[in-house]
Amino acid sequence: MKGLLTLVLLSVSNLFMTFAWYGHLQFKKLPWFSKLGLVGIVLVSWGLAFFEYVFQVPANRIGFEENGGPFSLFQLKVIQEVVSLTVFTLCAVYVFKTEKLGWNHLLGFGLLVAAVYVIFRKW
């Protein structure tokens, strides 16, 4: 159960992270947002990043094996990267609609799955 909760919290965290890091590139289409200067955009992004951390920190604390969770530190990091790229890809393709999913993206995801296998396998 802690593993699933960790994945859900990391997914929500990465949704906020994607909008904090890349959303401003799309939000410029909004009239009120396009008038903000760089400082205003940074402040909006920081506001979104706050919520990223609200979900990310508990996810790592709950999921970490020394806190009773199922994952080592390396495993948490690899999970975070896979979740991050998955959420980003879904947002880029379906929300921002700026990218098309290509064969090279699919190959890259396959390599990430291989990385997960290597990190999680007991050698």
Side-chain angles (χ1 to χ4, degrees):
M1 189 67 184
K2 286 186 175 188
L4 181 60
L5 182 57
T6 299
L7 291 174
V8 169
L9 290 171
L10 283 175
S11 296
V12 174
S13 167
N14 278 279
L15 189 60
F16 281 105
M17 179 189 78
T18 298
F19 280 95
W21 287 19
Y22 304 104
H24 63 89
L25 300 172
Q26 296 300 310
F27 296 158
K28 66 184 174 192
K29 298 172 187 171
L30 301 171
W32 67 271
F33 197 82
S34 65
K35 295 177 184 176
L36 289 176
L38 184 58
V39 172
I41 291 169
V42 167
L43 292 174
V44 169
S45 291
W46 277 353
L48 289 168
F50 168 78
F51 292 102
E52 171 197 350
Y53 279 86
V54 164
F55 292 97
Q56 181 267 340
V57 171
N60 285 332
R61 289 186 65 86
I62 291 167
F64 188 46
E65 63 189 357
E66 289 184 18
N67 293 333
F71 304 118
S72 71
L73 195 59
F74 281 110
Q75 290 171 335
L76 280 170
K77 181 58 182 170
V78 171
I79 291 168
Q80 150 57 33
E81 293 302 328
V82 171
V83 168
S84 177
L85 286 172
T86 302
V87 169
F88 171 80
T89 299
L90 292 173
C91 285
V93 172
Y94 297 109
V95 178
F96 301 150
K97 298 180 181 176
T98 58
E99 302 290 330
K100 292 183 180 180
L101 195 58
W103 69 267
N104 56 325
H105 302 115
L106 296 174
L107 176 61
F109 284 134
L111 293 172
L112 285 171
V113 170
V116 171
Y117 173 78
V118 169
I119 294 293
F120 276 76
R121 187 163 194 281
K122 305 293 183 210
W123 297 93

